[in-house]
Amino acid sequence: MASGHATGEVREGLGLAGKVAIVTGAGSGIGRGIATLFARMGVRVACADLNGGAAGKVAREIAEGRGRALALTVDVTDTAQVGAMVEAAVAEFGAADILVNAAGVGTLSTLVDMLDEEWDMVLGVNLKGTFLCCRAFVSYLLREGRRGKIINVSSINEQIPVAGLTHYCASKGGVMMFTRAAALELAPYGIHVNALAPGAIDTPMMEEPLMVPELRAALLRQIPFGRVGRPLDVARAAAFLASPWSDWVTGHTLYVDGGMHLVGEESYLYAFERAMGHHASIPRVPCCWPPEPGTRWPTEDQHLPGGQQGGEAR
């Protein structure tokens, strides 16, 4: 917890005190970090989460810190619930100025083994949920003639592909382009739309990958600052995008990853396969294995199944 003096300086500098923010996914991880930091900066926060108990816990913690918060149980893929979320926030606080779409999910699955339900869930929460929340929030702003700030939590995987996460990468790539298109459409109304692209952040979603020693070591090699990120790192960037200091910024994705997007990202899939002892199912090509001195790799196309030959036809 920052000292009272530091919090006062932040309030004065960013001008967020008295604003109202709706934060989805506020029950844990990045959403929780954003909700709690906003509250310390004087923002009144509607904490929305599919897990109502988790949202309630965060709201109580904010209240104990002398902030104001409202807990809401919301499925962001449900149009009626999303509309009710915006209405409840306005009814409680008298207005809404900021929307943070931090609700997100992911699973690890190969393309051929991925279930329809996995694809639908990940695209539903990450992309459709972002759309539904933006639509409801913008409808309110336009109806009331208000300006506003929208912050969509994307991922470095909007640009960097990772094997085993085709659905997640597709959803975040969609969030990136949705953010840009919405920013273009809404700028004439004084509505800013930006995105945050976190890298490896210590959240419940990253708990399993970070438990695999090989993968954790690989992730750290790919982060120039040499540590895994924290929700507070992302929350500070969100505060900037929510504040008047970003009034000349829209349609932008702000990478919050310690420089990870400059290097790339280890694919989780193969590290998990090795951890489970499934070595035979991993292609014998360098990108699927950790660096090992002296390893001899198949030459040319010997690794292709069925003796296929790659390259151009001759």
Side-chain angles (χ1 to χ4, degrees):
M1 177 69 72
S3 68
H5 178 64
T7 302
E9 289 178 346
V10 170
R11 288 187 182 185
E12 181 180 352
L14 292 183
L16 285 173
K19 299 291 186 181
V20 176
I22 300 170
V23 181
T24 70
S28 65
I30 290 172
R32 180 182 183 277
I34 292 173
T36 53
L37 179 63
F38 276 18
R40 285 167 43 199
M41 299 173 76
V43 178
R44 294 166 287 171
V45 185
C47 301
D49 201 284
L50 183 62
N51 184 335
K57 181 179 179 181
V58 174
R60 287 192 296 274
E61 291 173 355
I62 289 173
E64 290 169 0
R66 300 184 180 180
R68 290 192 60 189
L70 170 68
L72 298 168
T73 304
V74 180
D75 178 354
V76 297
T77 68
D78 185 287
T79 300
Q81 291 188 37
V82 168
M85 171 186 74
V86 175
E87 292 177 3
V90 173
E92 176 72 15
F93 300 122
D97 307 290
I98 302 158
L99 169 67
V100 180
N101 286 307
V105 295
T107 63
L108 183 69
S109 181
T110 64
L111 179 63
V112 296
D113 292 330
M114 189 176 297
L115 302 175
D116 291 1
E117 292 80 5
E118 286 182 272
W119 178 272
D120 291 343
M121 177 184 69
V122 172
L123 272 291
V125 174
N126 297 356
L127 186 54
K128 182 182 178 182
T130 296
F131 156 67
L132 291 180
C133 292
C134 285
R135 184 175 65 180
F137 181 64
V138 170
S139 295
Y140 157 74
L141 294 177
L142 295 180
R143 185 172 65 247
E144 299 297 324
R146 296 179 64 88
R147 297 171 178 265
K149 298 286 184 83
I150 297 173
I151 303 165
N152 298 322
V153 178
S154 182
S155 165
I156 62 170
N157 300 125
E158 69 174 36
Q159 288 281 6
I160 299 174
V162 175
L165 294 177
T166 52
H167 49 352
Y168 186 80
C169 293
S171 72
K172 295 304 185 178
V175 169
M176 174 187 69
M177 191 51 69
F178 173 83
T179 297
R180 294 180 181 180
L184 179 62
E185 181 176 328
L186 298 174
Y189 302 98
I191 301 171
H192 298 70
V193 190
N194 290 291
L196 294 171
I201 307 296
D202 191 2
T203 65
M205 187 180 291
M206 284 294 295
E207 184 176 0
E208 288 189 9
L210 292 174
M211 288 176 62
V212 179
E214 175 196 320
L215 185 51
R216 185 181 182 93
L219 289 172
L220 290 175
R221 286 197 302 270
Q222 294 156 358
I223 302 173
F225 281 132
R227 67 167 175 84
V228 173
R230 301 164 300 201
L232 180 60
D233 295 317
V234 185
R236 287 168 171 162
F240 164 70
L241 290 178
S243 78
W245 285 34
S246 65
D247 279 355
W248 205 235
V249 180
T250 197
H252 177 69
T253 296
L254 176 57
Y255 283 79
V256 191
D257 64 347
M260 191 175 187
H261 71 282
L262 305 172
V263 181
E265 185 174 4
E266 177 83 2
S267 290
Y268 305 164
L269 177 64
Y270 307 121
F272 274 114
E273 290 291 309
R274 283 190 293 276
M276 292 186 291
H278 301 162
H279 295 81
S281 64
I282 304 172
R284 292 293 298 175
V285 293
C287 74
C288 301
W289 294 83
E292 295 180 9
T295 300
R296 295 174 62 94
W297 297 105
T299 59
E300 296 182 354
D301 299 311
Q302 293 175 10
H303 63 275
L304 294 177
Q308 301 175 35
Q309 296 298 307
E312 297 180 357
R314 292 181 172 84

